[in-house]
Amino acid sequence: MCYPTPQELGLAARALADEHPGEVRLRQAGTSRSGRPIWVLSVAATPPAGPAGTRVPADGGDPDGGAGSPDPADGADGPGGGGGGGGGGRNVLVVAGAHANEPVGGATALSLARRLLRDPAPRAGCGWHFLLCADPDGAALHRTPRPYSLLDYHRYFFRPPGPEQPEWAPSLLPADRLPPETLALLALIDELRPVLQVSLHATDLGGSWVQLTRDIPGLAEPFAKSAADLRIPVENGASDAAGWPSPGPGIFVIPEPGSEAAGAFHPEDTRLSTWYHAHRYDGTTAIVEVPMWASDLVDDPAPHPDPRGALRMLAGRLTADAALVAEARERARSRDRPGPGAHDDPAAAPLLRAVDWTLALIPRIAVEWTGPGAPAEATAAYIASIDAFGRRLSLRAAAMLLRVLRAEGHPAAPGLDRLVTGWCEEFAARFGARWIPVATQVEHQSRTVLAAYARLVAAGPSTGRA
């Protein structure tokens, strides 16, 4: 199994809609900056169970399909089961491809849609909607259908700068400058008013974890069971969630503003992202991360002997590594000015924007790691997660810059190539990288999504409007 491209996702979704015309609908939710379609696949709700096991339509109509039954081909009240403000049923929105370099989400979305057709129990009174690729332009620039190594993965790596990422743009840009991908996602949330929004993410190397905008009681148990069954380590000290409340291993709840835990480093304000847009409709968002390569180091709960010393060392290494990339970037500055020798590669501009944004971010991170807020106590898993985070930042910047220099035939390309190769090999060796098959990544994400919905519904109104 390989990671599907946006085009392959669209074709597979169209085939699924053609096979199940009464239950599945494919529609275009928007258009990217470059004119690519943004597709939404919807699987219709089934009538919820009524007294003595009878089936009651979500709109209260005739359970045998009389005049009160909704037409499954009609908009949000068809596939989706009466959401979007028109009916009384629930909706779940699953967002894939928000980060271009995390391609597993689209495969998971298709797998979930097929699973819901085979086993419709989670569709009782609830429509399921899958944004198949939130950033098709970014996905077109990141090409790794089946990477065989970390180096292979980084050969055609791309991750846009924060302001160009659909979910993060609202936390970094004013409303009148939001990209069309973000506007499409926000409009979809406004239409569906999802009781649960799930954003499917991935990490290159590490473990699995879940971030929640509100706690979902009981999620930790099925999440941990799935990870154990599939031999995926649970990331107990995710760098993205330092200090956040954790109701169970690998489950982190984004803290309220003003709390001490809210100080975890983020270049963006998480609460301004699209994750929180669902809160205006009493919805909850879960962010499900799964690794491409696993490492047991991120699952080590033992206390680290000297967290602050380790963070100072990691900050120093990150600063030194970034300086090497910045030096190569300076040698390529002529690429920013039109003139003789400037190549016409359309990928160069977005790649260089991403390089510059990443390099500008690194000094802030190094200061955070060595500042007064650095933890005096931390687990080995947390320090390992920080180690991996720092390695990937400088590596990503170098890999994207290398793509530009290599395409140009720049004399700095061979040296940067050796640097990227060495960093990839060191990263894999230090963490004992173990490839997780794509099908296994998909299975774990799918199980976690279904468990999150089941636990949310079981918890009732305390977690939103479930």
Side-chain angles (χ1 to χ4, degrees):
M1 184 178 187
C2 297
Y3 297 121
T5 66
Q7 294 80 5
E8 290 167 343
L9 287 170
L11 290 172
R14 171 58 62 196
L16 196 63
D18 290 344
E19 291 171 19
H20 303 272
E23 298 176 280
V24 180
R25 180 188 180 206
L26 180 66
R27 59 181 168 128
Q28 187 172 337
T31 303
S32 73
R33 282 161 290 182
S34 296
R36 293 181 172 89
I38 299 172
W39 295 111
V40 177
L41 182 69
S42 296
V43 181
T46 58
T54 61
R55 307 299 287 180
V56 179
D59 68 346
D62 181 356
D64 295 322
S69 296
D71 179 353
D74 287 343
D77 288 335
R90 300 187 185 100
N91 283 308
V92 171
L93 173 62
V94 178
V95 179
H99 285 153
N101 61 302
E102 301 170 6
V104 68
T108 299
L110 279 178
S111 177
L112 272 169
R114 294 181 178 122
R115 185 177 300 206
L116 290 166
L117 290 167
R118 294 193 306 268
D119 177 12
R123 294 164 52 198
C126 181
W128 288 71
H129 309 265
F130 302 93
L131 186 62
L132 296 177
C133 183
D135 183 12
D137 291 353
L141 284 172
H142 179 87
R143 300 192 295 274
T144 49
R146 176 29 177 118
Y148 293 96
S149 65
L150 274 175
L151 179 60
D152 190 31
Y153 170 71
H154 284 93
R155 282 298 184 199
Y156 293 96
F157 181 92
F158 176 69
R159 182 185 178 103
E164 298 177 29
Q165 296 174 14
E167 292 182 327
W168 286 119
S171 67
L172 297 165
L173 296 174
D176 61 352
R177 291 179 53 202
L178 293 177
E181 296 87 349
T182 296
L183 295 176
L185 176 53
L186 292 173
L188 198 57
I189 296 170
D190 288 336
E191 173 196 334
L192 299 174
R193 303 181 180 186
V195 65
L196 176 65
Q197 176 185 211
V198 182
S199 186
L200 301 174
H201 285 256
T203 186
D204 45 19
L205 196 161
S208 180
W209 75 98
V210 179
Q211 299 174 71
L212 300 170
T213 58
R214 292 189 177 103
D215 187 21
I216 300 179
L219 178 58
E221 181 180 354
F223 168 75
K225 183 178 186 304
S226 173
D229 289 347
L230 299 171
R231 296 188 63 236
I232 297 174
V234 170
E235 190 136 350
N236 287 311
S239 59
D240 285 1
W244 291 2
S246 179
I251 307 293
F252 302 94
V253 181
I254 300 174
E256 293 296 322
S259 67
E260 290 185 10
F265 177 78
H266 269 281
E268 314 88 351
D269 185 341
T270 307
R271 287 167 292 273
L272 294 178
S273 71
T274 58
W275 299 346
Y276 273 80
H277 197 71
H279 278 216
R280 63 182 57 193
Y281 307 112
D282 295 324
T284 297
T285 297
I287 301 92
V288 182
E289 300 266 5
V290 65
M292 302 171 72
W293 284 270
S295 171
D296 293 332
L297 295 183
V298 300
D299 197 10
D300 184 355
H304 191 280
D306 183 15
R308 287 181 173 169
L311 288 171
R312 286 193 298 270
M313 182 276 292
L314 294 175
R317 187 192 66 200
L318 175 60
T319 301
D321 288 350
L324 295 175
V325 183
E327 180 181 355
R329 176 68 178 101
E330 284 303 313
R331 295 184 64 186
R333 284 290 172 188
S334 61
R335 297 299 324 118
D336 300 338
R337 297 191 300 270
H343 66 72
D344 297 323
D345 181 5
L351 284 164
L352 291 175
R353 286 197 303 271
V355 170
D356 292 342
W357 190 80
T358 304
L359 290 176
L361 190 65
I362 285 174
R364 296 167 53 193
I365 295 174
V367 168
E368 184 78 14
W369 289 354
T370 56
E377 297 181 359
T379 63
Y382 172 72
I383 297 301
S385 181
I386 292 288
D387 184 356
F389 179 62
R391 289 175 187 269
R392 70 173 57 99
L393 277 178
S394 46
L395 176 54
R396 288 171 176 179
M400 289 187 286
L401 179 58
L402 177 58
R403 289 184 62 181
V404 177
L405 299 186
R406 196 169 51 212
E408 178 190 342
H410 196 287
L416 190 58
D417 196 351
R418 289 190 294 272
L419 190 66
V420 168
T421 300
W423 282 351
C424 286
E425 292 173 350
E426 290 171 9
F427 195 4
R430 167 70 179 87
F431 283 82
R434 170 172 52 85
W435 171 251
I436 303 292
V438 176
T440 304
Q441 299 173 40
V442 167
E443 179 64 21
H444 180 55
Q445 277 196 326
S446 298
R447 291 180 184 181
T448 303
V449 171
L450 293 171
Y453 175 68
R455 293 304 191 275
L456 185 74
V457 171
S462 62
T463 52
R465 74 174 196 279

